[in-house]
């Protein structure tokens, strides 16, 4: 075919290169199979199975009646919500910021995207401890950046060290994405390691984008330490990502935020003014009620997640060939299934965790997300943000299937 007859590209290379969210894809497939009548139990989606607390819903319902919420508002967010987020940040993590540093976004994903879009130029490198949340590398790529994975495993509790980060650093390193408590592993960095990484970043002039969306979901007395609190001198080169989704069971309300130095917040606000304008005002009013209220409902949900955490770790530990570290935060476990690869199960020898996950879905009717989606093949991510009965039934079914491996 001559150059003249080559059909024009229909989808841009930039967008065509984006991979579908693996976690949402698994969740959608599980729901489709369930709708078709199959008793599929899904461990894919990272969202609480609880309803949004009633006082937050009531605040939203009341907001619908006020005509001022039917109009455009400032792109960066309602002024009173930005003030409340600043106050909540001081209350919950000890980080003192001004309302002008807060940008309210359509969920945490938009905050992640805008942080990279605002800071990264083409060719800039971003250090990304792996396993990582599936959206991070896609957001880096959309900004023209280059993801540099820093691979961890169960032997270190999925925690990256300063030595690993330093080995991955080059003259093009612009930023580090830091997530604690972690999605997908549930790992929580201890204070001394947070401090060491923060000091290393300051020393080398590296920006830190720290995702704190799971800040209130920690167990066994473990504390989630905010890096700019542990290392105050980092504040001028740090972006904090957060939102109401996980703490208040508000995934569908789509309210997140980024907190950054004033010049970064202003630039990201300019971007958002063209990208999406303001977040839906009713959702912002609901978020205002959430961050201004008590954490009682969040603590009740955490107690349920803790109970499920202990159950899922116990059940997974009983499956031959599965190695499962106990997570200290979020609502995920990230077991290694490497010892099962290549073994025969129902006449098949899965060579990858993708193939093994497909086998589990087909024969055990359990949906899990394979480690390839998070940059580390040979693992499964399972969310335990589902009912106790479904959790026990699903892991038992999966365990019975995997026990056939030989």
């Amino acid at each position: 075919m001559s150059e003249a007859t080559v059909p024009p590209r229909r989808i841009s290379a930039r967008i065509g290169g984006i991979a579908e969210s693996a976690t949402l894809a698994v969740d959608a497939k599980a729901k489709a199979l369930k709708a078709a009548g199959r008793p599929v139990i899904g461990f894919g989606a990272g969202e609480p199975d609880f309803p949004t607390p009633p006082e937050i819903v009531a605040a939203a319902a009341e907001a619908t009646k006020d005509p001022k919420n039917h109009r455009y508002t400032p792109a960066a967010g309602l002024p009173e919500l930005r003030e409340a987020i600043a106050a909540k940040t001081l209350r919950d993590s000890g980080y003192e910021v001004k309302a002008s540093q807060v940008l309210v976004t359509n969920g945490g994903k938009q905050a992640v995207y805008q942080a990279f879009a605002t800071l990264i130029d083409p060719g800039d490198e971003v250090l990304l401890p792996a396993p990582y949340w599936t959206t991070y590398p896609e957001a880096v790529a959309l900004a023209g950046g280059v993801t540099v994975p820093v691979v961890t495993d169960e032997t270190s509790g999925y925690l990256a060290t300063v030595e690993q980060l330093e080995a991955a650093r080059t003259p093009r390193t612009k930023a580090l994405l830091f997530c604690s408590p972690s999605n997908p592993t549930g790992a929580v960095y201890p204070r001394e390691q947070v401090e060491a990484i923060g000091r290393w970043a300051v020393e080398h002039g590296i920006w830190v984008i720290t995702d704190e969306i799971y800040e209130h979901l920690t167990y066994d007395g473990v504390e989630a330490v905010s890096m700019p609190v542990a290392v105050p001198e980092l504040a001028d080169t740090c972006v904090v990502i957060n939102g109401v989704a996980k703490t208040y069971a508000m995934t569908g309300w789509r309210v997140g935020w980024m907190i950054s130095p004033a010049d970064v917040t202003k630039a990201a606000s300019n971007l958002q003014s063209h990208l999406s304008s303001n977040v839906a005002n009713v959702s912002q009013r609901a978020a205002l009620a959430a961050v201004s209220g008590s954490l009682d409902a969040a603590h009740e949900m955490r107690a349920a997640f803790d109970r499920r955490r202990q159950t899922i770790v116990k059940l997974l530990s009983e499956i031959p060939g599965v190695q499962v570290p106990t997570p200290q935060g979020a609502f995920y476990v990230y077991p290694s299934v490497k010892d099962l690869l290549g073994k025969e199960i129902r006449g098949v020898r899965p060579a990858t965790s993708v193939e093994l996950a497909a086998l589990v879905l087909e024969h055990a009717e359990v949906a899990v997300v394979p480690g390839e989606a998070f940059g580390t093949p040979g693992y499964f991510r399972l969310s335990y943000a589902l009912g106790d009965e479904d959790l026990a039934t699903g892991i038992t079914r999966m365990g019975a299937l995997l026990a056939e491996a030989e």
Side-chain angles (χ1 to χ4, degrees):
M1 184 180 288
S2 69
E3 185 176 339
T5 58
V6 173
R9 184 192 296 273
R10 291 174 59 82
I11 307 298
S12 72
R14 184 180 71 259
I15 301 303
I18 299 173
E20 179 184 15
S21 167
T23 53
L24 295 183
V26 167
D27 186 52
K29 187 170 185 178
K31 287 175 179 175
L33 289 171
K34 199 166 186 176
R38 294 184 63 179
V40 171
I41 295 176
F43 289 85
E47 64 175 343
D49 59 316
F50 300 98
T52 301
E55 63 274 17
I56 298 173
V57 176
E62 191 62 30
T64 63
K65 304 173 186 176
D66 190 336
K68 69 183 179 184
N69 293 318
H70 306 170
R71 304 287 181 260
Y72 292 128
T73 54
L78 294 172
E80 51 267 58
L81 177 56
R82 298 172 77 189
E83 290 280 0
I85 289 170
K88 164 253 175 294
T89 302
L90 179 60
R91 177 195 71 186
D92 293 351
S93 65
Y95 189 29
E96 186 171 2
V97 299
K98 298 177 181 178
S100 59
Q101 294 177 251
V102 178
L103 169 59
V104 182
T105 60
N106 289 278
K109 279 186 179 179
Q110 186 175 12
V112 169
Y113 167 75
Q114 290 181 173
F116 285 125
T118 304
L119 295 176
I120 301 301
D121 283 316
D124 285 346
E125 294 176 352
V126 178
L127 302 185
L128 182 55
Y132 47 69
W133 182 42
T134 58
T135 291
Y136 297 143
E138 302 297 347
V140 171
L142 281 170
V146 177
T147 293
V148 178
V150 178
V151 179
T152 67
D153 61 25
E154 64 275 21
T155 63
S156 67
Y158 302 114
L159 301 176
T161 65
V162 168
E163 291 73 23
Q164 285 180 295
L165 295 172
E166 176 60 20
R169 183 176 65 88
T170 77
R172 303 219 63 158
T173 302
K174 177 70 177 287
L176 162 70
L177 189 289
F178 185 79
C179 182
S180 176
S182 164
N183 174 7
T185 67
V188 182
Y189 282 77
R191 177 178 290 273
E192 59 272 17
Q193 204 159 346
V194 174
E195 290 179 354
I197 291 172
R199 287 195 297 269
W200 168 84
V202 170
E203 178 185 351
H204 297 290
I206 294 170
W207 281 82
V208 174
I209 299 169
T210 175
D211 189 340
E212 300 183 356
I213 195 80
Y214 296 98
E215 63 178 338
H216 289 294
L217 292 176
T218 59
Y219 315 105
D220 301 330
V222 169
E223 177 191 13
V225 178
S226 180
M227 194 176 289
V229 175
V231 184
E233 59 268 35
L234 180 69
D236 194 50
T237 49
C238 184
V239 178
V240 176
I241 306 295
N242 210 325
V244 296
K246 316 298 182 179
T247 300
Y248 303 98
M250 294 178 68
T251 53
W253 296 82
R254 309 313 302 141
V255 182
W257 56 83
M258 56 182 284
I259 298 172
S260 50
D263 57 336
V264 175
T265 301
K266 178 64 170 69
S269 298
N270 290 345
L271 168 60
Q272 186 164 306
S273 72
H274 295 288
L275 183 67
S276 63
S277 297
N278 61 282
V279 175
N281 294 324
V282 170
S283 288
Q284 290 195 72
R285 296 290 175 186
L288 178 60
V291 300
S292 301
S294 78
L295 288 165
D296 291 348
H299 293 157
E300 290 176 16
M301 286 187 279
R302 181 176 64 186
F305 290 140
D306 190 10
R307 181 181 67 247
R308 297 168 185 177
R309 175 183 70 114
Q310 295 176 54
T311 298
I312 199 169
V313 168
K314 177 179 182 295
L315 292 174
L316 286 170
S317 297
E318 294 170 354
I319 303 173
V322 173
Q323 309 298 323
V324 55
T326 300
Q328 296 183 315
F331 39 62
Y332 309 103
V333 286
Y334 201 72
S336 168
V337 294
K338 288 179 281 192
D339 290 346
L340 293 169
L341 301 181
K343 295 189 175 181
E344 185 172 336
I345 305 173
R346 301 285 172 97
V348 177
R349 291 187 182 274
T352 66
S353 43
V354 169
E355 293 174 6
L356 185 59
L359 194 70
V360 167
L361 181 57
E362 176 60 30
H363 294 284
E365 297 181 311
V366 169
V368 300
V369 188
E372 282 82 351
F374 309 103
T376 55
Y379 298 82
F380 283 168
R381 190 197 79 170
L382 297 91
S383 166
Y384 48 88
L386 71 167
D388 296 68
E389 185 177 346
D390 276 354
L391 185 152
T393 299
I395 301 301
T396 300
R397 286 201 320 229
M398 183 175 75
L401 174 68
L402 297 181
E404 299 176 16
E406 57 183 26

